[in-house]
Amino acid sequence: MEEQELEKLKFPVGKFEWPANFNAEEHVAAWQKDIEDFPLSLISAVDDFSEQQFDTPYRPDGWSVRQLIHHISDSHLNAFLRFRWTLTEDTPTIKTYDQDKFSGLADYQMPVGSSLDLILALHKKWVYLLKHMEEADLQKEFHHPETGKNVSLLTCLGMYAWHSRHHLAHIQNLKKRKGW
Ligand code: NI
């Protein structure tokens, strides 16, 4: 497989980039809607999947759809906690984790239902929180110990809106390629 082709499979919606003509009102609303719509889009994307389809990698040497879904629940759970810490502490240092090692843990082989339920409930709480945050809250930052940088909740929101679209596109593209 050519490198360019693989890159397209890895990053079907591109990498997260800060919008060129950023408009706070417009982008915050769009990102919030991404977070709000994602669980049902994800659930409907895999609605009629067989266990075999869940075990199909979304690209060569990539995670299976099952691992992807368990990864999303872990990743967004961590993001939600980062929001909570940042809203209640002064520039907290977050805890990172090894997502590849996480994906090797036993529960990544479970049926996806538990993670889909978790993602649905988590995003409901996340959106409620987002809708009740002050504009200034989005400027609050956490410290990332690996990059050494501070990250605002605004950036974090944009990143996880992207992360939702990124992994949904993995599954949608796999279905297209396989004719599912
Ligand atoms: Ni991811």
Side-chain angles (χ1 to χ4, degrees):
M1 183 170 288
E2 291 195 18
E3 206 170 313
Q4 212 177 346
E5 206 179 326
L6 186 63
E7 195 68 8
K8 187 77 194 146
L9 290 180
K10 278 187 184 170
F11 298 101
V13 299
K15 293 184 184 174
F16 174 68
E17 275 175 30
W18 194 253
N21 35 17
F22 178 73
N23 174 310
E25 207 177 324
E26 196 182 300
H27 285 104
V28 167
W31 289 341
Q32 203 171 283
K33 190 161 176 6
D34 286 335
I35 300 290
E36 189 165 13
D37 293 347
F38 175 65
L40 290 183
S41 305
L42 177 65
I43 288 166
S44 77
V46 299
D47 192 34
D48 54 359
F49 267 34
S50 64
E51 291 305 302
Q52 200 177 1
Q53 284 170 310
F54 280 121
D55 284 325
T56 307
Y58 79 92
R59 64 167 169 85
D61 299 321
W63 279 334
S64 64
V65 174
R66 185 187 307 280
Q67 285 173 306
L68 263 189
I69 292 171
H70 292 311
H71 157 72
I72 294 164
S73 92
D74 267 344
S75 166
H76 292 197
L77 195 55
N78 272 274
F80 183 65
L81 276 175
R82 290 169 186 185
F83 265 74
R84 300 176 91 64
W85 289 327
T86 307
L87 290 170
T88 56
E89 297 174 24
D90 185 16
T91 322
T93 297
I94 56 143
K95 172 82 179 73
T96 60
Y97 60 95
D98 185 328
Q99 62 174 23
D100 291 319
K101 285 190 180 162
F102 268 31
S103 75
L105 293 173
D107 60 303
Y108 273 62
Q109 295 307 320
M110 278 175 76
V112 297
S114 50
S115 279
L116 291 177
D117 287 348
L118 194 153
I119 293 164
L120 186 63
L122 180 67
H123 278 234
K124 207 175 274 183
K125 284 166 68 78
W126 202 352
V127 168
Y128 188 93
L129 185 63
L130 285 166
K131 285 186 175 166
H132 289 81
M133 277 167 58
E134 306 284 336
E135 220 178 296
D137 287 335
L138 284 173
Q139 302 306 323
K140 291 180 177 162
E141 297 178 325
F142 60 75
H143 181 74
H144 197 291
E146 276 174 12
T147 62
K149 288 185 181 155
N150 288 353
V151 180
S152 71
L153 291 184
L154 178 64
T155 301
C156 191
L157 172 61
M159 284 172 60
Y160 283 88
W162 168 85
H163 190 252
S164 301
R165 287 183 277 108
H166 168 69
H167 286 309
L168 184 62
H170 285 152
I171 297 171
Q172 289 167 336
N173 288 355
L174 174 69
K175 287 173 73 173
K176 225 178 280 174
R177 289 203 313 281
K178 297 275 189 189
W180 291 346

